[in-house]
Every structure is written in C-alpha cells, then in structure tokens.
C-alpha cells in the first residue's frame, strides 16, 4: 500500500474507470493511454550466471493477489519471474479427433533450479521494494506475501500465486536434427506446403519477452515464402552495464 494517493487504483473502478476509457477513445490520452507496465529491469538472480536470468516489472496499481482485481486502497506492485526456466512442458493429443483440444502441461517450477531461482528473485524483489527511493510511498506490504519469510514459506507462496506470462516457446522447435518439428526455413517436416511462423518454432527461450522475436519469425517466413534474400546475420556485443 502507498502512503500517498498517487496510484491508479481510483481509475480502475466504477465511474472513474468508465471516464478513463471514454477519455482515451475521445483524445487518446489519460490513465487508459498506457498499460502502465513501463518500468522494468533485467537482472541476475545470483553471481554465478553470466546473463540476466530474471525480469522485474513495476506497476503503479495495487491488485488483490487472489482475484487480481484492483484494491480499494492506493498502492503498487511488482511482478518478477525467470527468463530462461529449465523445466520443459509438453503438448500432446487428447484423441484422434482433430477438433479436440490438445493436452497442454507447461510443467512450471518442474525443476529444482527453477524453484531456487524463483525464490532468489522473490527475495531480490522484496529488497527493491525496501529501498530508500520507496520510503516516501511505502506504507506496508500487503499479504499474503507477508507470511513468506523462510525459504519454505516463499516456495509455498510462489506455488500458490505464480502464474504464466504466456511467453511459451518451442512446441514446434526448428532445427536440423531428427527431433526438430520444423526445418530452419520453418517448413514442417513431413508435411507439404505448411510452415510455422510463431514462437513455437523457437529452438529455445530468449532472455526477454517474445513479442519482437515473433515479429522477426513472421518476417523470416515471409522472406522464405516470397523467395527473397534473407537478412544478414548480426553479432551484436552483449551489454554488461
């Protein structure tokens, strides 16, 4: 919760929410002109990793941790999670019926490393919230995270309240080996005139959101289909600021 009434909670309920929506449709301005997840960072959960393995977002809105509905109190929240989880999920057929939904098991937190990393990310996020920059605004941490102090309690909290950011990749992994679903030019092995041009064809997870990569895969597929030249590969230096 925040000591100052400067957050978005009043604009996320009732008539204020309706007014914010109307203002955006009329003028493309006001509280609804942004998704308000504009502040974030990539960081390393421990000194042993060589690249950022964690992502954190700040949102000027206090949400109920169970219902995810805006709280009546002013406040803010953090969202944090692993960038390259090691657990592998599965997508399998439910039946021979082509219209039946597949069985999707993301297997979140399916490895000990993922659980250890997420625990470290939780602790570092709490540390961020306790910095002096937040002293002016910080009133109190809102439960049930307040009950998560020991490693076991933090693990239980993560199990109960973590959710997917929907950046799943690799169900139709591209490659040149026998287990690859699509070829490097995105053609489905064993099927004529079919390509996969979305993040399911990515061979591995990237250290970021997948939106830009999805656009790049679409452009790559378009170049292949049109028979145009491919973009030249670029080796960009890794920033270690």
């Amino acid at each position: 919760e925040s000591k100052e009434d400067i957050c978005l909670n009043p604009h996320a309920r009732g008539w204020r929410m309706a007014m914010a929506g109307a203002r955006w449709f009329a003028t493309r301005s006001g509280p609804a002109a942004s998704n308000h997840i504009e502040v974030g960072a990539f960081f390393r959960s421990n000194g042993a990793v060589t690249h950022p393995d964690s992502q954190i977002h700040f949102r000027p809105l206090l949400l109920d941790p169970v219902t995810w509905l805006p709280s009546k109190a002013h406040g803010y929240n953090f969202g944090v999670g692993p960038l390259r989880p090691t657990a592998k999920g599965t997508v399998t057929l439910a039946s021979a019926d082509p219209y039946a939904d597949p069985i999707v098991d993301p297997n979140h937190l399916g490895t000990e490393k993922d659980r250890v990393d997420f625990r470290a990310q939780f602790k570092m996020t709490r540390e961020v919230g306790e910095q002096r920059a937040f002293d002016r605004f910080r009133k109190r941490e809102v439960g049930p995270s307040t009950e998560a102090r020991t490693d076991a309690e933090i693990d239980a909290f993560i199990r109960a309240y973590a959710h997917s950011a929907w950046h799943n990749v690799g169900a139709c992994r591209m490659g040149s080996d026998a287990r690859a679903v699509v070829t490097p030019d995105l053609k489905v092995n064993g099927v004529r005139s079919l390509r996969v041009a979305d993040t399911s064809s990515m061979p591995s997870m990237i250290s970021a959101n997948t939106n830009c990569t999805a656009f790049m895969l679409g452009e790559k597929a378009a170049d292949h289909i049109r028979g145009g030249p491919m973009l030249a590969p670029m080796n960009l230096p890794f920033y270690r600021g």
Side-chain angles (χ1 to χ4, degrees):
E1 288 186 1
S2 173
K3 292 185 290 187
E4 297 194 17
D5 298 344
I6 58 173
C7 302
L8 289 171
N9 287 79
H11 300 286
R13 302 188 312 273
W15 66 270
R16 289 179 182 268
M17 182 171 67
M19 289 296 293
R23 179 178 174 183
W24 182 84
F25 278 109
T27 66
R28 296 297 192 269
S29 64
S34 164
N35 68 2
H36 301 287
I37 310 180
E38 298 163 340
V39 179
F42 298 99
F43 65 93
R44 293 181 294 165
S45 61
N46 64 81
V49 296
T50 58
H51 64 276
D53 65 341
S54 315
Q55 183 179 27
I56 186 173
H57 287 111
F58 171 82
R59 297 172 286 237
L61 178 70
L62 183 61
L63 300 173
D64 182 280
V66 178
T67 66
W68 276 76
L69 295 174
S71 170
K72 293 183 179 180
H74 284 264
Y76 48 89
N77 73 81
F78 300 92
V80 68
L83 289 174
R84 293 196 178 189
T86 57
K88 305 295 184 182
T90 59
V91 180
T92 56
L93 297 178
S95 71
D97 180 3
Y99 295 100
D101 292 335
I103 300 173
V104 180
D105 177 14
N107 194 30
H108 295 314
L109 301 174
T111 66
E112 179 63 19
K113 184 180 187 306
D114 289 353
R115 294 189 286 271
V116 170
D117 291 348
F118 216 148
R119 187 189 310 147
Q121 292 154 5
F122 177 95
K123 292 178 179 179
M124 294 183 75
T125 301
R126 178 175 275 159
E127 183 179 343
V128 169
E130 293 172 349
Q131 297 301 303
R132 286 186 300 171
F134 284 99
D135 286 352
R136 169 186 165 187
F137 311 103
R138 183 179 56 252
K139 183 177 181 180
R140 67 183 182 95
E141 183 178 342
V142 178
S145 61
T146 51
E147 306 299 321
R149 296 295 169 180
T150 67
D151 286 354
E153 291 168 346
I154 291 173
D155 288 350
F157 173 81
I158 292 171
R159 282 282 188 189
Y161 296 103
H163 61 92
S164 175
W166 309 113
H167 295 293
N168 301 317
V169 306
C172 297
R173 178 179 65 85
M174 75 169 72
S176 302
D177 58 285
R179 299 189 61 188
V181 178
V182 301
T183 62
D185 57 355
L186 303 175
K187 292 181 179 179
V188 177
N189 283 311
V191 182
R192 296 179 58 188
S193 303
L194 180 63
R195 299 179 194 257
V196 176
D198 58 32
T199 57
S200 63
S201 63
M202 290 169 55
S204 62
M205 185 62 192
I206 60 173
S207 293
N209 291 9
T210 54
N211 181 262
C212 289
T213 307
F215 281 116
M216 293 172 67
L217 284 165
E219 294 288 348
K220 172 180 169 64
D223 288 342
H224 282 302
I225 293 169
R226 297 173 62 187
M230 297 292 104
L231 292 174
M234 300 175 64
N235 292 317
L236 300 177
F238 179 72
Y239 176 66
R240 298 181 181 274

